[in-house]
Amino acid sequence: MNFTRVSKAEIWQAGNKLGTFQITGGTLTCDRANAFRRIVSLTLTEGMLVGGGTVVPTKASDLFAPFGNEVYLYDGIQYSDGTRDFCQVGVLGMESTEIVDAGKSLVITILGNDRAQAYQRSGFPDVYTIPPNTNVGTAIQALLQSRQVGFPQVFAFQPTVFTTGTSPIIAVPGDDPWALATKMADACGCELFPDPVGTTTFLPVPNPATAQIAATYAEGPNCTVSIADRTLARSKTANYYIRDGQGTGILVPVRGIHADTNPQSETFIGGSYGTVVDYASSPLYATQPMAQAAADTAFLLGQGSAEIATFTIVPRPDHDVDDVLAATRVRAGIPPGTGYVV
């Protein structure tokens, strides 16, 4: 059955859907290295209608005015019989709406970020205190729930045994709530992010060595990869990770170490690559197990950085950060079954 790619967006405010429209162009970027994992730029045109009215806002309370409304994004396919199959790819707060009237055309561009930005900008109006010896997951969720963000908060937190140190964690006006929450997650080897449906998610960083293959991209008559761009580099590749817990609330400094001890690895600690150290310290590494978890996680996130590949493929909206893909591109030096972490 033949199909074409389609996408749509819904505008929501405080849990209520205000309208649905088709997208005429734009990009959605998803990157774990960004403070906001998902960033969007959407393009609309004057001819689009929502509920019988034009999409051009004339006042701050209009549908596309960026004062609290969110965009729910969907990407998918439409079959030859008209049936559509959508996958939700993001919930993003509108950051700005630009209207360009060029005489013959009117173009509307919407920029937005995922819900992490709402937590970031919510700020602390007063001193906020996390009591000593509080479970890290409980502390993070309580911190986020204390913020006024303008949308119904939904959480998916995996349990953790780690706790904060013996001294309280104190935030003051001017501090960034989201930065504090993500640093606390990092300190125990976890990640914190809004998922594609807007749920605030807390879980251990997945181990790519044990993860299931999400998709396979192999060359041949049914290949869906048009370009494979492979880069080998050592500039960001460490093989000896140290995480020191020291500071307020830690009576005796603690340390976690993870070295690349695999003789088959290109960055084997005892091989020709030598020793390249990645070091960090924080009072949030409250115990030796936490410092070790942080070192182990840093190794998981860094072990593939010696080889980076960019694949231009037929769109797969269900792919996400942490997916493990298998690829084959022999001429580019990618033998069958080579794994890459998105």
Side-chain angles (χ1 to χ4, degrees):
M1 180 179 291
N2 295 326
F3 61 87
T4 57
R5 187 183 178 194
V6 292
S7 56
K8 69 175 182 177
E10 299 171 348
I11 303 300
W12 289 68
Q13 184 183 73
N16 298 308
K17 185 168 72 172
L18 306 180
T20 303
F21 63 93
Q22 299 294 318
I23 299 169
T24 60
T27 59
L28 173 66
T29 302
C30 184
D31 190 342
R32 72 154 63 252
N34 294 333
F36 313 131
R37 183 170 285 204
R38 287 174 171 79
I39 300 173
V40 73
S41 172
L42 296 178
T43 303
L44 311 175
T45 62
E46 183 181 19
M48 293 203 139
L49 301 179
V50 178
T54 63
V55 298
V56 182
T58 58
K59 56 183 183 299
S61 60
D62 279 358
L63 194 64
F64 287 92
F67 297 98
N69 292 358
E70 293 183 308
V71 180
Y72 287 27
L73 293 180
Y74 300 84
D75 200 8
I77 56 177
Q78 177 172 303
Y79 299 100
S80 55
D81 64 359
T83 304
R84 292 183 171 187
D85 189 8
F86 284 106
C87 174
Q88 188 167 353
V89 294
V91 174
L92 304 108
M94 281 189 253
E95 182 63 17
S96 68
T97 300
E98 180 183 14
I99 305 164
V100 178
D101 185 351
K104 294 184 178 180
S105 65
L106 184 69
V107 177
I108 303 169
T109 302
I110 297 172
L111 304 180
N113 304 304
D114 66 25
R115 285 179 166 177
Q117 186 172 40
Y119 288 114
Q120 181 200 63
R121 70 194 331 164
S122 63
F124 294 102
D126 205 343
V127 173
Y128 183 88
T129 302
I130 299 173
N133 304 309
T134 302
N135 179 276
V136 172
T138 301
I140 292 174
Q141 186 166 339
L143 165 63
L144 298 179
Q145 285 178 318
S146 72
R147 302 300 89 209
Q148 175 59 39
V149 289
F151 52 79
Q153 299 190 51
V154 182
F155 297 93
F157 274 43
Q158 290 193 18
T160 181
V161 299
F162 296 116
T163 62
T164 61
T166 57
S167 293
I169 297 174
I170 298 175
V172 298
D175 287 347
D176 179 342
W178 184 254
L180 175 57
T182 53
K183 287 178 182 177
M184 293 173 64
D186 291 342
C188 62
C190 294
E191 55 185 352
L192 179 71
F193 59 92
D195 73 2
V197 299
T199 299
T200 304
T201 304
F202 170 85
L203 77 170
V205 173
N207 185 344
T210 59
Q212 291 185 339
I213 301 299
T216 298
Y217 294 97
E219 56 193 351
N222 297 319
C223 180
T224 57
V225 177
S226 60
I227 300 174
D229 183 343
R230 179 171 174 247
T231 302
L232 303 176
R234 63 179 293 170
S235 59
K236 298 181 180 179
T237 306
N239 58 6
Y240 195 85
Y241 293 85
I242 302 173
R243 294 296 181 265
D244 277 352
Q246 55 189 5
T248 303
I250 301 178
L251 300 179
V252 178
V254 295
R255 170 169 287 191
I257 296 176
H258 193 123
D260 185 354
T261 57
N262 179 8
Q264 305 304 314
S265 172
E266 293 87 349
T267 56
F268 173 49
I269 196 76
S272 60
Y273 187 70
T275 300
V276 180
V277 176
D278 182 292
Y279 176 83
S281 66
S282 171
L284 296 176
Y285 306 141
T287 63
Q288 196 285 323
M290 285 185 72
Q292 188 61 52
D296 294 343
T297 300
F299 173 77
L300 285 180
L301 295 175
Q303 65 176 334
S305 58
E307 179 172 336
I308 299 172
T310 301
F311 298 104
T312 303
I313 66 171
V314 172
R316 279 286 302 267
D318 56 331
H319 280 331
D320 203 357
V321 169
D322 293 330
D323 280 355
V324 178
L325 311 180
T328 302
R329 200 81 167 193
V330 175
R331 190 170 65 173
I334 305 174
T338 302
Y340 291 93
V341 182
V342 179

